[in-house]
Amino acid sequence: MTQAEADAGKAAIRRALRSLRRRHLVEEGAHRPAIEALNRPFAAHALEWKEKAEKNELELQQCYKAQSRLSEQLVSEINEAKTSKALLKEKEALITTLQSELGQTREENVQLKESLEEKTNALDLLIQEHQAAKAELERVLTKLKAVEHENTQLVERLMQAKMVEAEKLNEANAMYEEMVLKLKAAGLGAGGIQHNAQQEADGVIRRSEAGYVDIMETPIPSTCRVTIRAHDGGCGSIIFQNNTDKLISGGQDQTVKIWSAHTGALTSTLQGCLGTVNDLAVTNDNKFVIAACSSNKLFVWEINGGRPRHTLTGHTKNVCSVGASWAKSLVIASSSNDRTIKIWDLQTGFCKSTIMSASNPNTLAFIHGDSICSGHRDGSLKFHDIRSGKCFATVAGHADVSSVCVTRSKNHVLSSGRDGVHKLFDVRMPTEVVEICGTFRAPSNRLIGSWGRACISPDENCIAAGCSDGSVCIWSRSKNEGPTILEGHSLPVVTSAWSEFGPLATADKNHIHIWA
């Protein structure tokens, strides 16, 4: 062994000895408390251990309490976590729904934007059309002024023509007086003289008037030729078409029916009314039929085809009567229990003007193109200018006017009242004077309520009126005698109408009779 190896071995031994000493010191320090405890008495050890045990038991109880609180808190937090989880799912579903709605809203916004652009373009077009219409209106107004000037000239010419007619009338009166003197000189009776002179003068006067049409004498009917079962619940109004044998009826079954007066066959049924048909009218060109109804409305149909044309609204109560202009095919008038008369334009379906009245206008009829006659519940007859809406004449007629009827020549108006009296008025110059030409009555003649309708024959000689006892009275103007009585109805006769071709139609609640 070398000296170096011996030195290295000695150094290792010294290091090992130092390590053993350090370890001994460490072990001695670690076991010192135990050695000291063993050196103390056993009683002292027991007391110390008891205190430690109590202390440890107290700490253990506190730990159990803390563990219980922590368990409760854990359960509560678990429940809250479950609730939060469910709420989270709901929120996620709501988010999904909102996202879907948001997508739909975006699509709607796109569509609305496109619609807005279309409407903007349409508005620009309407503005251009309005400007064009305004320019057209200015041109029409200019034309209207020219037409008014021309109308003024025509009125002046008409007045001159009227003056000529008045001169002819004076000549006819002079002729009448001259003929009376001649017939007296010839030795005829006073009654025959007056009758013959009146007929001759009347012929001269009528043939001198504009628009005179020679009408054949209408015979007084005597036989019921056709009986029609028209409407369920009752027939309210009948009217003949102009220059045809077609009879139009309306009733409580809310229908308007067109019949052949020759055979009694039903040709068409017009439907669409919302109430009982109170009155009917036909335009002068036979294109439209109008029904006045209890539903506060008027209904308009095309006669050919039966297609509904208009529903005229504006009255606030039952519409009693309707009439069509003789001169203007698209102008009609209606009266209602709301105390108004309305003038309508069938081209547009709108009310052109409204005439207020102090009493209910129960019935009306056109006299000329721009004037109407209305019968009122207070018994008066009023004559109105539909252009100005003013009443230019009033006549006391009956206690309660139930109907007015204008003759074919437009020279006379027949009025009927609940008193059973029928009066014929001369309305050739209603602005100056309205004269009574005749009064017709019979002991048995009583109209049914305020809606009984009388009529006059095409030759203006015969007046027909239904009675509450089911009979029909017919008076002749040319014969100074009592009325002819037609019997055949089993119920009160509500209304009557006389065709221009001769047949007379009368209606009760159940049937329509056509007489010849």
Side-chain angles (χ1 to χ4, degrees), residues 241 246-248 257-261 263-269 303:
Q241 277 187 248
K246 299 293 185 182
L247 176 67
I248 305 174
K257 297 182 179 181
I258 303 178
W259 313 83
S260 170
T263 63
L266 177 65
T267 60
S268 63
T269 301
I303 292 182

Side-chain angles (χ1 to χ4, degrees), residues 296 314-320 334-342 344 354-361:
N296 309 344
H315 286 294
T316 58
K317 291 186 179 181
N318 177 46
V319 184
C320 306
S334 63
S335 64
S336 168
N337 287 338
D338 60 8
R339 297 187 178 184
T340 63
I341 297 172
K342 291 185 179 292
W344 306 87
T354 299
I355 301 172
M356 306 299 294
S357 176
S359 63
N360 287 339

Side-chain angles (χ1 to χ4, degrees), residues 288-317:
F288 303 106
V289 58
I290 306 98
C293 296
S294 61
S295 60
N296 309 344
K297 298 179 179 64
L298 294 101
F299 297 87
V300 184
W301 295 269
E302 295 178 358
I303 292 182
N304 294 330
R307 186 173 69 90
R309 178 65 179 266
H310 294 298
T311 298
L312 308 180
T313 58
H315 286 294
T316 58
K317 291 186 179 181

Side-chain angles (χ1 to χ4, degrees), residues 49-65:
W49 288 343
K50 184 177 180 181
E51 291 176 355
K52 287 184 178 180
E54 292 176 354
K55 183 177 180 181
N56 289 334
E57 184 178 359
L58 181 60
E59 291 177 355
L60 182 61
Q61 291 178 356
Q62 293 176 352
C63 289
Y64 283 152
K65 291 180 180 180

Side-chain angles (χ1 to χ4, degrees), residues 200-222:
E200 186 66 25
D202 186 58
V204 173
I205 294 169
R206 291 181 61 190
R207 285 169 175 76
S208 68
E209 293 174 350
Y212 167 77
V213 177
D214 193 7
I215 302 172
M216 295 180 61
E217 182 179 355
T218 303
I220 297 177
S222 59

Side-chain angles (χ1 to χ4, degrees), residues 287-428:
K287 289 185 177 180
F288 303 106
V289 58
I290 306 98
C293 296
S294 61
S295 60
N296 309 344
K297 298 179 179 64
L298 294 101
F299 297 87
V300 184
W301 295 269
E302 295 178 358
I303 292 182
N304 294 330
R307 186 173 69 90
R309 178 65 179 266
H310 294 298
T311 298
L312 308 180
T313 58
H315 286 294
T316 58
K317 291 186 179 181
N318 177 46
V319 184
C320 306
S321 180
V322 60
S325 172
W326 300 91
K328 301 175 182 179
S329 60
L330 297 177
V331 176
I332 66 170
S334 63
S335 64
S336 168
N337 287 338
D338 60 8
R339 297 187 178 184
T340 63
I341 297 172
K342 291 185 179 292
I343 311 301
W344 306 87
D345 181 4
L346 293 187
Q347 181 69 34
T348 61
F350 294 130
C351 176
K352 296 173 61 178
S353 61
T354 299
I355 301 172
M356 306 299 294
S357 176
S359 63
N360 287 339
N362 197 41
T363 179
L364 60 79
F366 273 87
I367 305 175
H368 304 291
D370 296 312
S371 60
I372 60 174
C373 173
S374 61
H376 296 254
R377 298 297 297 271
D378 63 1
S380 63
L381 294 178
K382 296 181 183 295
F383 298 86
H384 307 270
D385 187 335
I386 64 174
R387 294 170 299 182
S388 62
K390 294 182 179 179
C391 175
F392 55 80
T394 301
V395 179
H398 308 270
D400 184 352
V401 181
S402 63
S403 71
V404 292
C405 175
V406 179
T407 61
R408 184 171 181 175
S409 66
K410 317 301 182 294
N411 293 334
H412 299 87
V413 170
L414 174 67
S415 68
S416 304
R418 292 188 64 182
D419 51 8
V421 178
H422 310 275
K423 296 181 180 180
L424 193 65
F425 294 90
D426 187 337
V427 293
R428 280 176 285 190

